[in-house]
Amino acid sequence: MKTSQALYEKAVAVLPAGVNSPVRAFRSVGGTPIFMERGEGAYLVDVDGNRYLDFCGSWGPLVLGHRHPRVTAAIEDVVSRGWTFGTPVAEEVALAEMVVDKLRAVEMVRFVNSGTEAVMSAIRLARGCTGRDRVLKFRGCYHGHVDYLLVDAGSGLATFGTASSAGVPEAFARLTATMPLNDPAGLAQLFESLGGELAAVVIEGVPANNGLLVQTPEYVAQLRELCDRYGCLLIFDEVLSGFRMPKVMAYEQYGVSPDLITMGKVIGGGMPVGAYGGRAEIMQRIAPLGDVYQAGTLSGNPVAMAAGYATLREYYESDVPGRIEELGGHLDRGMQDALSSVAEMGYLRQGSLFWLYFHRDEAPRAAEDISGQGAEVYARLHRFMLEHSIYLAPSSYEVGFLNTAMTEADLDRFVEVLRAAVKEGLVQ
Ligand SMILES: Cc1ncc(COP(=O)(O)O)c(C=O)c1O
């Protein structure tokens, strides 16, 4: 770890905590972050030459694994011609056509540069369309670092939020109502008092940023019905869940029709891309067709668009969801067996996302149901996994990502290491 440690020491002098995104700093698992040099299919290689089976997958984009040949070729082809022109390019039309062709909820799409931007822009659009300012989000859902979505619960159900980050004006936070997930009665009550003021409700397709909090179809249907009744838009934030579900998108999984969806991660194949899309009548409100302004210097740049297009072509042509279900089923069997004698930890999977949760008989459906005690056990497990060449996300609240570069043998090894951790009493 010599080179990695030396880089970290240099990094902390010039980057806050040595990182450009907080969770990478390993604060919740202890130790110092590992600097990576290369990706090889299902594996990461660090700057000291150590190889890890990678369940972090760059936090979601790499559903085909690292450096898939088709994506590599597409990027190289574009780069050989130039990488940004600030003009329309064929690559953005190809990706847009693919998205519109494949996704029932999307008649038109606009590309941006991150998931944060996608959600921020979709909410602006919803505000523009409804003429209302307020939005509802759910505790435990993450939608990027936009001001009015970095909001905690206010006191009492029908009150508006308070900022969860310094630097967020209270006036912005007050535009956002927050409430727990999976609370049908509370939802009905909230709409009764505030429904007429809401521009949009935003929910993660499958909430997966604070554990994996799978919602029931009945709850999602209730949400759709209430949005219709009160004339506010339903935004499914599929930045993380998109292209990760057995039916591709979470809204298909639930059989619901959101007004707008936001995307990111997989849709850019590992390049900085976000997107928002929905019905044409709504999307046509975006400038220059309509009065909702949104723009971007590098939006739709050919490198990112080509990487996304190559990824999605491969995704559909080689039936990635099908292969993921094979791999996932294999992992399910191994995990259930390895954890049969373990009381404090459970395992849950949705498509290519899995989560290890703690101290519960049942899988939690709301952030409030998650035991904070799990963080300590997870920190020990995380260290043990690293020692055994397995890279898990450095926080117990994060999910693991499967990809099609993984093999059954890779997953068996993960299960074996978990068994060894149980045997050593790290997890009980
Ligand atoms: C559901 C969801 N929305 C939005 C975002 C923000 O995306 P980005 O980090 O690309 O800004 C994330 C990031 O993890 C996410 O998971």
Side-chain angles (χ1 to χ4, degrees):
M1 287 296 171
K2 265 170 64 185
T3 314
S4 191
Q5 189 61 35
L7 273 171
Y8 177 68
E9 280 157 23
K10 282 202 219 184
V12 288
V14 287
L15 298 164
V19 294
N20 282 301
S21 197
V23 70
R24 293 181 202 168
F26 272 39
R27 288 288 158 95
S28 28
V29 291
T32 52
I34 300 169
F35 283 67
M36 296 299 171
E37 185 180 81
R38 256 176 312 131
E40 292 172 352
Y43 287 81
L44 276 171
V45 182
D46 73 17
V47 288
D48 292 290
N50 302 301
R51 213 160 167 263
Y52 307 85
L53 179 60
D54 177 18
F55 286 110
C56 185
S58 189
W59 304 96
L62 302 177
V63 73
L64 308 176
H66 295 274
R67 284 197 291 138
H68 187 280
R70 189 168 190 170
V71 184
T72 310
I75 293 172
E76 284 174 355
D77 172 56
V78 173
V79 168
S80 71
R81 292 182 274 118
W83 41 93
T84 177
F85 310 120
T87 66
V89 291
E91 288 80 3
E92 63 195 336
V93 183
L95 184 56
E97 281 182 343
M98 166 82 85
V99 169
V100 168
D101 179 45
K102 298 290 187 187
L103 304 186
R104 169 177 64 89
V106 180
E107 289 174 1
M108 291 184 113
V109 62
R110 168 69 63 93
F111 294 110
V112 292
N113 303 291
S114 69
T116 297
E117 242 190 284
V119 181
M120 181 185 85
S121 307
I123 288 181
R124 180 177 304 146
L125 183 54
R127 286 173 164 157
C129 287
T130 58
R132 303 174 185 173
D133 290 340
R134 297 191 141 153
V135 296
L136 169 65
K137 80 174 279 285
F138 297 91
R139 284 176 220 153
C141 284
Y142 177 68
H143 302 289
H145 62 88
V146 61
D147 279 342
Y148 50 83
L149 295 176
L150 286 181
V151 167
D152 278 334
S155 55
L157 180 69
T159 57
F160 287 92
T162 54
S164 62
S165 162
V168 174
E170 285 301 329
F172 289 7
R174 281 198 296 275
L175 293 175
T176 306
T178 68
M179 64 169 300
L181 286 160
N182 190 42
D183 175 8
L187 190 65
Q189 216 179 316
L190 185 132
F191 266 83
E192 232 169 75
S193 56
L194 298 171
E197 294 178 46
L198 295 176
V201 177
V202 59
I203 186 166
E204 275 186 66
V206 173
N209 277 285
N210 198 300
L212 191 56
L213 304 171
V214 180
Q215 302 302 292
T216 65
E218 295 76 25
Y219 181 69
V220 174
Q222 182 196 10
L223 193 53
R224 176 67 275 183
E225 194 275 316
L226 286 168
C227 286
D228 284 343
R229 199 183 323 155
Y230 286 88
C232 73
L233 301 192
L234 177 59
I235 303 175
F236 253 49
D237 179 358
E238 300 248 21
V239 167
L240 199 154
S241 54
F243 308 100
R244 290 266 170 203
M245 294 292 115
K247 290 187 176 171
V248 180
M249 309 301 279
Y251 73 82
E252 290 294 6
Q253 217 59 37
Y254 286 107
V256 73
S257 297
D259 298 296
L260 288 171
I261 67 169
T262 56
M263 294 164 278
K265 301 192 190 261
V266 172
I267 204 176
M271 291 288 164
V273 180
Y276 60 111
R279 292 202 306 279
E281 60 173 316
I282 300 176
M283 295 302 288
Q284 281 166 351
R285 287 293 295 271
I286 301 172
L289 285 183
D291 53 355
V292 177
Y293 190 74
Q294 184 271 307
T297 299
L298 295 175
S299 293
N301 78 80
V303 186
M305 296 293 103
Y309 182 62
T311 299
L312 290 195
R313 276 194 69 182
E314 183 63 23
Y315 179 90
Y316 284 109
E317 286 174 15
S318 63
D319 185 21
V320 165
R323 175 62 185 143
I324 289 289
E325 281 316 295
E326 283 174 11
L327 283 169
H330 187 81
L331 181 62
D332 296 349
R333 290 186 286 279
M335 293 298 271
Q336 273 143 19
D337 192 49
L339 295 178
S340 58
S341 64
V342 171
E344 67 182 352
M345 190 167 96
Y347 156 88
L348 184 65
R349 181 180 67 84
Q350 287 273 289
S352 52
L353 312 174
F354 71 88
W355 184 45
L356 302 170
Y357 62 93
F358 294 89
H359 296 289
R360 291 269 308 177
D361 296 334
E362 263 179 51
R365 289 193 193 274
E368 291 74 9
D369 299 339
I370 299 175
S371 161
Q373 287 163 287
E376 248 175 61
V377 185
Y378 187 84
R380 290 200 296 271
L381 184 66
H382 184 264
R383 222 162 299 139
F384 188 80
M385 287 282 168
L386 277 182
E387 285 159 13
H388 291 81
S389 306
I390 290 176
Y391 192 89
L392 292 177
S395 162
S396 64
Y397 291 95
E398 303 289 350
V399 292
F401 295 90
L402 301 179
N403 65 60
T404 51
M406 290 173 175
T407 63
E408 277 80 356
D410 289 323
L411 300 177
D412 288 344
R413 193 166 71 75
F414 175 43
V415 171
E416 274 321 301
V417 177
L418 184 64
R419 278 186 207 282
V422 172
K423 209 165 161 196
E424 290 205 9
L426 292 181
V427 188
Q428 292 177 345

